[in-house]
Amino acid sequence: MEPIVVQNIYKQFGNVSALHDISFTVGPGELFGLIGPDGAGKSTLFRILATLLLADKGKAMVNGLDVVKDYRAIRRQVGYMPGKFSLYQDLTVEENLHFFATIFNTTVKENYDLIRDIYEQIAPFKNRPAGKLSGGMKQKLALCCALVHKPSVLFLDEPTTGVDPVSRKEFWDMLQRLKEKNIPILVSTPYMDEATLCDRVALMQNGAIMQIDTPPAIVAEFRTKIWAFKSDDMYRLIRDLRAHPEVKTCFAFGEFLHVTMTAGPEEVSGSLTAGGHTGLVIKPANAGIEDVFMALMQAQTQPV
Amino acid sequence: MKQFFEFVKKECFHIFRDRRTLIILFGMPVVLIVLFGFAITNEIRHARVAVLDYSQDALSHGLVNKITASTYFDLAENLRSEKDILPAFRKGDIRMVIVIPNGFSRDFIRERKASIQLLTDASDPNTATTLINYANAIIGRYQQEQTNLQHLPLTIHPEVRMVYNPMLKSVFLFVPGVMTLILMLVCAMMTSITITREKELGTMEILLVSPLRPMLIIAGKVVPYVLLSFFISIIILCLGSWIFGMPVKGSILLLLSACGLFCLTALSLGILISSLTNSQQTAMMVSMMGLLLPTILLSGFVYPIESMPVPLQIVSNILPAKWFIIILKDIMLKGSGLRQIALPMGILGGMTCFFLIVSLRKFKIRLS
Amino acid sequence: MTQSAITTTALTKRFGNFIATNAITFDVAQGEIFGFLGANGAGKTTAMRMLCGLLRPSSGEARVAGFDIYTQTEKIKQRIGYMSQKFSLYEDLTVKENIRFYGGIYGLSNRQIRDKTADLLQRLSLEQEGNMLVKALPLGWKQKLAFSIAVIHDPSIVFLDEPTGGVDPITRRQFWDLIYESAAKGVTIFVTTHYMDEAEYCNRISIMVDGKIKALDTPAALKKQYGADTMNEVFLQLARAKS
């Protein structure tokens, strides 16, 4: 039995279509990522799965239980970490953890094995009010609280948003270790680079899933050739490239520009050198999830 | 059960770690009582009176003693004839003259009806009325005592009912008012704010996803405030009786259970507000505008209901505060028992059930 | 050498026993895009508030747009623009009303506001949406609009506090186009971000760890110095080294 099954879910808020025909499944012990910017519909989807919202159409099952009919049973089995930091700011780290253990009818001790790795990192601050923790610490505490009742499914809504790269990396390391305990995890993130850390991902934009697959397969399927450009005056390079008739897209990517063209790089580079660009570097680039995402986004917004 | 206790404990942490809330909870009753008690009431104490006693018998002396023994009146001088009355007023420090006609005792016992004359300086009509009211109340009590003593139905003055006239603004009427106001504030406003705070924080999402039943979430949030407000009402009662000598003529038990009932009414209102609003700010505005202002203006606390226009009088009936003030006054001032206050108690109970049912219906097991 | 937009010398802020920023010293040239990176709680926000004249330093010196941050904060505020992810625009006002309001508080004349509004709406291709409430706009558009409004009074320096959080990849890059455009006009950009690829777009970056500046150079030089391929690696090496 698949732990999470989502079938043709629709959700509308007024005139805005928050979710449009969403379907996917998450297998046992799988780390599944919902990748997309704010407003893609990720949080709405989480709330439907956590039995907090009703979908307009479609069906969703968690551990074989229906999210509408069996909501009470599901609530006992899932661990949910909402997008916004949702712990009591005026309670200490320890009090928060203790409280969430008790309301799930368990104790911190009983399931300490599961949270030991994470809790030990924040244990030195256990008497500090949760509101005074740094962003990364808060997320770790929130994860502890979501795990303390040994859930059989974990929903993490944007756990790394607004968190610095170091804490983000630590957080993902923790998720990898949790995966070894065979807990299926559904996680969302707006950071494209985190997609590669998931087993499978769904790329979401404007309430729709644009693609679902493993990250390597998504990249492999992307056939468009990408070239990396660099010169001494990047701003002028962007403008010149975009103005060039052979250039289809041109986006900044770290220290390079990622460019797709209808012609070979030689023709374009010729006109750039003629235009006075110095220090020009042009090389083939490997597409990443972000390249694919942007290409899919453009395909989605352009009327067919 | 353990879940529930843990919930209550957590709620207490919130309350006791938030210094501002604590100040509001405990400072407010004291400040309000003292403010209303000392500053706002037109309470009069130690008014100087003169007595012109033509009768000079045991009963008339008893009456004069009774009047001047109260804290409201001090005996300034004994007059000898009616000619002395105007000069006494003109001196300015005499507020009231009591004239007891000849044969007071005889009329009182034989004809079972005696009259006395109260003269006041009406250049300050408010003070004059208040003094007359006080004197009447004391005379009424005296007459009651004598009636019991002599086993005869005796009358001195017919205006005894003025004691319960709401126009008579004394501290006795402010204590019930302030108590109502504060219980409303603590129970209704604080509950609605504390529940919406969870919504704002996002913790409500986690609580909903937990196995806790909605009933338990609400009860856990509300119980600490029930205890707290009950405790606060006791503080108010003590302040009222120690500082202002507020009497409690009826049963204390009945009084406390009435307070308990009103706490529940206010809480159910608070829960209702919180289930209709999503932010602390809105909850606060709604409680302020929807509960506190009507409580102050329409419940008979500041403005007597009898002198309101008829539509407002009708509106005042739907305010729990109005009924609670009636109950308080009846128990404390008239010494009424459960039978006399059954109607207002029943109304409050009905309102509580109504609000609770509506808010439980409205409480969402989901977010929308 | 070009004139400095920001200079700080041993700028320090203490909260009780806690040193939020510890003697930071750096220079930002006029027209430079300066990336201000650091872990959560490393002291970035505190430093930024001091430079904007919102917080008085405990010790140290700093000049912003040529003005002293102790005594001339009012002058500084006239010359800077500020935008953060959290509070930017009034959601219940329309696009035009927001522009009018911010133009107004910086003392632009009605004519200037009218011209700026037309120009701004045209550049962002928001002509159709001018009378729409801001809350109806997608997040990415709001952020672009917020930036354009932050530079409406032609400030010499703009402070951007995590301006692109949660924004989709295309809009994020369009946002950086706007930054480049302003920088090309000579506006100094002081920006914080958690996207390490965005760090590469900066002319120079500083990385703060525990209240101190641990590294300050061009992205290329930093990567070379730490033997890393990406800024992400540089950041991880530096921030990890603290414990």
Side-chain angles (χ1 to χ4, degrees), chain A:
Chain A
M1 183 186 65
E2 303 284 334
I4 304 173
V5 180
V6 178
Q7 289 169 347
N8 312 101
I9 289 280
Y10 287 81
K11 179 77 189 176
Q12 191 101 11
F13 292 117
N15 292 324
V16 185
S17 162
L19 290 174
H20 184 83
D21 198 12
I22 301 288
S23 303
F24 65 91
T25 57
V26 178
E30 190 174 27
L31 178 53
F32 191 94
L34 297 172
I35 315 292
D38 287 3
K42 303 182 305 278
S43 296
T44 308
L45 185 53
F46 271 107
R47 287 176 173 163
I48 288 174
L49 288 173
T51 75
L52 287 171
L53 273 185
L54 295 176
D56 295 340
K57 249 200 307 189
K59 209 167 139 65
M61 317 267 271
V62 176
N63 284 338
L65 298 164
D66 186 272
V67 290
V68 182
K69 275 197 310 241
D70 309 315
Y71 74 94
R72 202 158 263 160
I74 293 180
R75 289 180 182 188
R76 270 192 287 273
Q77 296 173 12
V78 302
Y80 172 45
M81 188 171 150
K84 215 165 55 172
F85 176 68
S86 312
L87 298 175
Y88 297 102
Q89 317 257 355
D90 52 346
L91 298 189
T92 66
V93 169
E94 208 175 16
E95 284 162 354
N96 265 299
L97 189 61
H98 184 69
F99 174 73
F100 284 105
T102 320
I103 62 167
F104 278 94
N105 249 329
T106 179
T107 57
V108 177
K109 224 180 185 174
E110 208 171 309
N111 299 315
Y112 191 65
D113 273 357
L114 194 60
I115 57 167
R116 178 184 290 127
D117 279 356
I118 312 164
Y119 188 63
E120 274 170 2
Q121 300 179 41
I122 47 174
F125 311 101
K126 67 179 178 188
N127 292 322
R128 193 182 280 190
K132 299 238 158 94
L133 295 174
S134 71
M137 294 282 189
K138 279 183 183 164
Q139 300 307 78
K140 283 174 195 165
L141 174 59
L143 182 60
C144 279
C145 291
L147 275 173
V148 73
H149 60 290
K150 206 170 183 186
S152 54
V153 180
L154 202 51
F155 295 133
L156 309 175
D157 190 7
E158 299 208 4
T160 53
T161 295
V163 174
D164 66 72
V166 179
S167 305
R168 255 158 61 191
K169 177 139 192 352
E170 286 171 0
F171 197 89
W172 279 96
D173 289 345
M174 285 186 279
L175 293 189
Q176 300 296 343
R177 282 200 294 277
L178 278 178
K179 225 178 65 135
E180 289 161 17
K181 308 217 160 119
N182 217 28
I183 300 175
I185 302 172
L186 183 65
V187 60
S188 69
T189 176
Y191 298 101
M192 303 288 149
D193 54 335
E194 291 178 348
T196 50
L197 304 167
C198 302
D199 296 332
R200 276 193 314 142
V201 293
L203 304 184
M204 283 184 81
Q205 167 75 5
N206 291 335
I209 291 183
M210 301 187 294
Q211 194 170 9
I212 304 182
D213 216 326
T214 63
I218 287 180
V219 173
E221 223 175 274
F222 189 67
R223 307 259 178 242
T224 316
K225 180 78 199 141
I226 291 183
W227 296 88
F229 278 66
K230 187 179 162 182
S231 87
D232 292 337
D233 185 349
M234 292 296 272
Y235 176 55
R236 201 154 68 84
L237 185 63
I238 290 181
R239 286 201 306 185
D240 290 350
L241 278 170
R242 287 201 182 141
H244 199 283
E246 305 287 351
V247 170
K248 281 203 295 188
T249 63
C250 165
F251 292 113
F253 254 85
E255 60 173 317
F256 287 95
L257 302 178
H258 278 192
V259 182
T260 59
M261 301 174 284
T262 44
E266 304 78 21
E267 292 173 38
V268 178
S269 77
S271 71
L272 289 177
T273 336
H277 279 282
T278 53
L280 200 62
V281 180
I282 301 174
K283 60 179 189 183
N286 294 323
I289 294 283
E290 198 155 5
D291 292 294
V292 181
F293 196 96
M294 291 198 292
L296 289 170
M297 256 181 89
Q298 286 183 316
Q300 189 194 43
T301 44
Q302 272 155 21
V304 185

Side-chain angles (χ1 to χ4, degrees), chain B residues 170-354:
Chain B
S170 80
V171 70
F172 294 172
L173 298 179
F174 275 106
V175 170
V178 169
M179 192 142 136
T180 313
L181 190 64
I182 290 189
L183 291 186
M184 210 65 176
L185 187 83
V186 175
C187 293
M189 194 156 117
M190 289 295 181
T191 345
S192 62
I193 288 178
T194 176
I195 295 180
T196 43
R197 179 160 51 201
E198 299 246 7
K199 288 190 190 175
E200 243 174 48
L201 260 177
T203 40
M204 196 49 108
E205 262 184 73
I206 301 194
L207 294 181
L208 284 176
V209 176
S210 80
L212 283 180
R213 287 173 173 263
M215 273 287 278
L216 205 68
I217 298 181
I218 289 190
K221 289 215 70 82
V222 155
V223 163
Y225 287 94
V226 178
L227 298 178
L228 211 62
S229 42
F230 198 67
F231 182 58
I232 288 174
S233 41
I234 293 178
I235 295 184
I236 300 175
L237 284 177
C238 292
L239 280 177
S241 95
W242 290 338
I243 305 185
F244 300 108
M246 175 89 190
V248 182
K249 288 192 178 164
S251 128
I252 297 242
L253 202 67
L254 187 61
L255 183 64
L256 290 182
S257 37
C259 291
L261 177 62
F262 185 67
C263 286
L264 281 181
T265 319
L267 283 172
S268 55
L269 266 174
I271 297 171
L272 185 63
I273 292 175
S274 67
S275 63
L276 300 175
T277 53
N278 279 320
S279 75
Q280 293 185 62
Q281 220 183 355
T282 336
M284 186 126 111
M285 288 302 284
V286 172
S287 345
M288 281 281 194
M289 299 312 230
L291 299 180
L292 289 184
L293 281 184
T295 300
I296 295 175
L297 299 177
L298 295 180
S299 68
F301 166 28
V302 175
Y303 306 109
I305 294 179
E306 284 80 351
S307 56
M308 285 177 197
V310 177
L312 283 185
Q313 288 194 29
I314 295 169
V315 170
S316 74
N317 283 325
I318 59 165
L319 294 180
K322 172 192 166 174
W323 301 105
F324 185 55
I325 291 184
I326 291 179
I327 295 174
L328 285 181
K329 281 192 207 163
D330 279 3
I331 299 179
M332 295 168 89
L333 301 175
K334 292 193 199 164
S336 306
L338 185 57
R339 192 168 303 158
Q340 288 95 318
I341 58 165
L343 178 70
M345 286 286 263
I347 292 176
L348 273 190
M351 285 179 168
T352 313
C353 291
F354 175 75

Side-chain angles (χ1 to χ4, degrees), chain B residues 30-254:
Chain B
V30 179
V31 170
L32 279 183
I33 284 279
V34 171
L35 254 182
F36 279 118
F38 284 126
I40 300 181
T41 66
N42 45 6
E43 176 85 86
I44 291 141
R45 275 160 191 265
H46 303 293
R48 294 166 66 80
V49 295
V51 175
L52 175 57
D53 187 353
Y54 287 118
S55 192
Q56 296 291 354
D57 52 38
L59 275 181
S60 72
H61 284 163
L63 181 62
V64 170
N65 278 340
K66 190 91 190 168
I67 292 176
T68 51
S70 78
T71 51
Y72 305 111
F73 302 107
D74 288 345
L75 182 60
E77 59 184 310
N78 279 305
L79 306 178
R80 278 193 214 110
S81 80
E82 272 171 52
K83 280 187 292 185
D84 297 340
I85 294 178
L86 277 181
F89 274 128
R90 267 191 218 117
K91 271 196 282 173
D93 58 342
I94 299 288
R95 292 297 176 100
M96 183 170 77
V97 175
I98 305 169
V99 183
I100 303 178
N102 236 330
F104 176 73
S105 191
R106 190 193 57 218
D107 289 354
F108 190 44
I109 293 176
R110 285 208 199 132
E111 298 180 18
R112 297 176 188 177
K113 199 171 162 187
S115 57
I116 60 168
Q117 206 178 2
L118 298 175
L119 299 169
T120 52
D121 178 0
S123 58
D124 180 356
N126 283 334
T127 315
T129 329
T130 313
L131 288 176
I132 296 273
N133 284 330
Y134 283 161
N136 269 330
I138 297 170
I139 293 167
R141 261 200 311 258
Y142 184 67
Q143 163 204 317
Q144 196 75 42
E145 273 168 32
Q146 293 300 321
T147 307
N148 292 343
L149 226 61
Q150 323 244 350
H151 305 289
L152 287 169
L154 306 168
T155 343
I156 294 179
H157 203 277
E159 281 180 78
V160 175
R161 61 189 146 74
M162 289 291 281
V163 187
Y164 306 123
N165 185 346
M167 278 300 273
L168 188 144
K169 288 184 193 169
S170 80
V171 70
F172 294 172
L173 298 179
F174 275 106
V175 170
V178 169
M179 192 142 136
T180 313
L181 190 64
I182 290 189
L183 291 186
M184 210 65 176
L185 187 83
V186 175
C187 293
M189 194 156 117
M190 289 295 181
T191 345
S192 62
I193 288 178
T194 176
I195 295 180
T196 43
R197 179 160 51 201
E198 299 246 7
K199 288 190 190 175
E200 243 174 48
L201 260 177
T203 40
M204 196 49 108
E205 262 184 73
I206 301 194
L207 294 181
L208 284 176
V209 176
S210 80
L212 283 180
R213 287 173 173 263
M215 273 287 278
L216 205 68
I217 298 181
I218 289 190
K221 289 215 70 82
V222 155
V223 163
Y225 287 94
V226 178
L227 298 178
L228 211 62
S229 42
F230 198 67
F231 182 58
I232 288 174
S233 41
I234 293 178
I235 295 184
I236 300 175
L237 284 177
C238 292
L239 280 177
S241 95
W242 290 338
I243 305 185
F244 300 108
M246 175 89 190
V248 182
K249 288 192 178 164
S251 128
I252 297 242
L253 202 67
L254 187 61

